[in-house]
Amino acid sequence: MSEIFTFQTVPKLIFGEGAAAQLIDLIHDMAAQRLAIITDKGVAQCGLVAQVTEPLKAAGLDILICDEVVADPPESIVQDIADKAKRHGADCIIGLGGGSPMDSAKVVAVLAGPDPQPLPEIYGVGNVTAPRLPLVLIPTTSGTGSEVTSIAILTTGETTKAGIVDPSLYADAALLDPLLTRGLPASVTAATGIDAMVHAIEAYTGRIRKNPMSDMLAIAALKLLTGNLLQACHDGQNDIVAREAMLRGSMLAGQAFANSPVGAVHALAYPLGGIYHVPHGLSNALVMPHVMRFNLDVAAPLYAELADALGIAEQGAGQGSVLQKAEQFIDYLVALSRDSAAPQRLRDIDIPYEALDRLADDAMLQTRLLVNNPRDVTRDDARMLYEHAY
């Protein structure tokens, strides 16, 4: 008898070139009049906010633009935005941008709702009890998959990160328009694309809640992402086919890991973002191969399956070929990362060697993620993995 599993995702997805133009119809269906758009200054400065809001303003809707979000958003900024949205009387929250604006929008939809919970009460898994405002998410990068997850990550204190995981954080709708990703620099395209690959790989190899639906989505995502990353990096302004494939792959990977959580790659990446403000996708890229090699003792058969699915493994016979395929899969990912021109070592981004102990200490606080890794990770293991990444 097969095991029971649960799979959830957003109730409505609108995907394709020009999909952002359908936002006005969604807002009308929600009968919303006073909107709060949560974004960051980079998205605003490149004209994407104006592009999205022009038809909304023409329809006479009252729009508040909140572009204060920064990478690894601190809870103080998110709370301030929520207070502003509540004073505005917002009846719908729109998250526009990468993972940070979309994660912030999820939390703002709860904190600016009719009966908000205090922010400290909702950290953790399944702790949101307050009703949230209607929520629409629009990604402008192809990496986090936040538009289809029920997870929001905030920076707490000076350097630590904490997650809010709750089904109520699934948006009412996600609009995915590859035209909004066309202006991404190659460095951001590379980092976010590798981030999405990590989502797919960790969803496929996790030991908690791994399920057939997430497996299927993870494989489909990896095919799209690995097959289009370099083209999107090299000619992302003109190659809308590659941009669309990356956005679709990111979404599918997001649906996969929303239902089969990520593991130690993310656990080791979070301190790099929290302490040194390394972009999340790049943090994942820097530690990914080292964590995967650490996991080989347990996860080699699953890595070999992914190698077969991508058609990159040399054929072999016997048990030795499983390890060979798994190693080829890791080598393939490393080559993709290198060819995308992403930094390869912690020292390449000026992380001091003296920081490795603190990074290891902070990584061990990510118990929600470490418990899902195929292989147990001790503090000494974490320190060793940072050493290898250095």
Side-chain angles (χ1 to χ4, degrees):
M1 180 181 295
S2 61
E3 292 186 10
I4 294 172
F5 70 91
T6 300
F7 185 90
Q8 292 179 285
T9 191
V10 299
K12 178 174 282 191
L13 282 168
I14 303 175
F15 187 103
E17 289 184 51
Q22 297 196 33
L23 177 60
I24 185 66
D25 296 328
L26 279 176
I27 298 303
H28 284 322
D29 290 344
M30 294 175 175
Q33 294 292 324
R34 302 178 66 83
L35 314 179
I37 296 183
I38 316 303
T39 188
D40 60 43
K41 287 182 168 53
V43 174
Q45 288 168 358
C46 70
L48 294 181
V49 173
Q51 181 179 331
V52 168
T53 58
E54 187 174 327
L56 304 178
K57 290 179 178 177
L61 298 174
D62 192 346
I63 301 171
L64 173 70
I65 306 295
C66 303
D67 63 0
E68 302 95 319
V69 177
V70 297
D72 304 305
E75 58 184 357
S76 58
I77 287 180
V78 175
Q79 183 66 65
D80 288 345
I81 294 172
D83 294 342
K84 186 189 298 186
K86 196 161 184 66
R87 289 194 299 270
H88 178 69
D91 55 9
C92 180
I93 304 297
I94 299 170
L96 175 66
S100 293
M102 289 191 289
D103 281 10
S104 298
K106 293 174 186 177
V107 180
V108 169
V110 175
L111 300 183
D115 185 21
Q117 284 176 268
L119 178 55
E121 289 185 5
I122 65 175
Y123 287 114
V125 180
N127 291 324
V128 178
T129 58
R132 65 156 172 79
L133 295 172
L135 176 64
V136 179
L137 298 177
I138 308 173
T140 62
T141 65
S142 300
T144 67
S146 182
E147 70 276 4
V148 290
T149 75
S150 61
I151 304 164
I153 306 296
L154 301 184
T155 299
T156 57
E158 290 188 9
T159 60
T160 55
K161 287 188 173 187
I164 302 165
V165 185
D166 194 274
S168 67
L169 296 190
Y170 280 116
D172 296 293
L175 289 175
L176 296 99
D177 188 338
L179 295 176
L180 299 181
T181 71
R182 191 165 51 182
L184 279 178
S187 60
V188 179
T189 300
T192 55
I194 296 168
D195 183 23
M197 293 178 202
V198 173
H199 292 156
I201 294 163
E202 293 203 298
Y204 193 86
T205 58
R207 60 180 172 184
I208 296 175
R209 291 166 52 198
K210 176 176 165 66
N211 64 83
M213 286 286 289
S214 285
D215 287 353
M216 175 185 68
L217 292 167
I219 289 172
L222 277 175
K223 288 179 177 179
L224 289 165
L225 294 163
T226 58
N228 291 277
L229 175 69
L230 298 183
Q231 184 60 25
C233 288
H234 296 157
D235 192 25
Q237 185 64 35
N238 299 308
D239 194 335
I240 197 63
V241 174
R243 286 294 190 195
E244 181 173 332
M246 294 299 294
L247 187 60
R248 189 157 16 113
S250 171
M251 176 194 72
L252 296 176
Q255 290 176 312
F257 92 86
N259 292 276
S260 177
V262 292
V265 175
H266 276 72
L268 269 67
Y270 280 168
L272 291 170
I275 300 171
Y276 293 103
H277 305 293
V278 179
H280 175 64
L282 178 56
S283 298
N284 275 327
L286 289 165
V287 299
M288 171 186 68
H290 311 288
V291 174
M292 290 181 68
R293 290 192 178 102
F294 172 81
N295 287 338
L296 275 172
D297 286 351
V298 177
L302 296 174
Y303 293 153
E305 289 175 8
L306 293 175
D308 284 334
L310 296 181
I312 60 173
E314 297 176 6
Q315 296 302 311
Q319 288 299 315
S321 67
V322 171
L323 180 59
Q324 181 184 39
K325 288 179 181 181
E327 291 173 338
Q328 288 168 355
F329 178 57
I330 297 171
D331 291 343
Y332 173 76
L333 296 172
V334 170
L336 266 182
S337 176
R338 183 185 61 244
D339 292 347
S340 74
Q344 298 298 297
R345 313 291 302 185
L346 296 181
R347 64 170 71 102
D348 296 340
I349 57 169
D350 299 324
I351 302 296
Y353 183 82
E354 295 74 21
L356 301 191
D357 283 315
R358 182 184 179 188
L359 289 170
D361 290 339
D362 281 14
M364 297 311 296
L365 300 176
Q366 302 298 326
T367 54
R368 175 180 65 87
L369 306 175
L370 292 171
V371 71
N372 193 47
N373 198 61
R375 181 179 172 187
D376 288 338
V377 179
T378 67
R379 194 271 182 194
D380 287 344
D381 293 330
R383 177 62 173 73
M384 173 196 69
L385 289 168
Y386 284 123
E387 179 93 29
H388 290 168
Y390 191 79

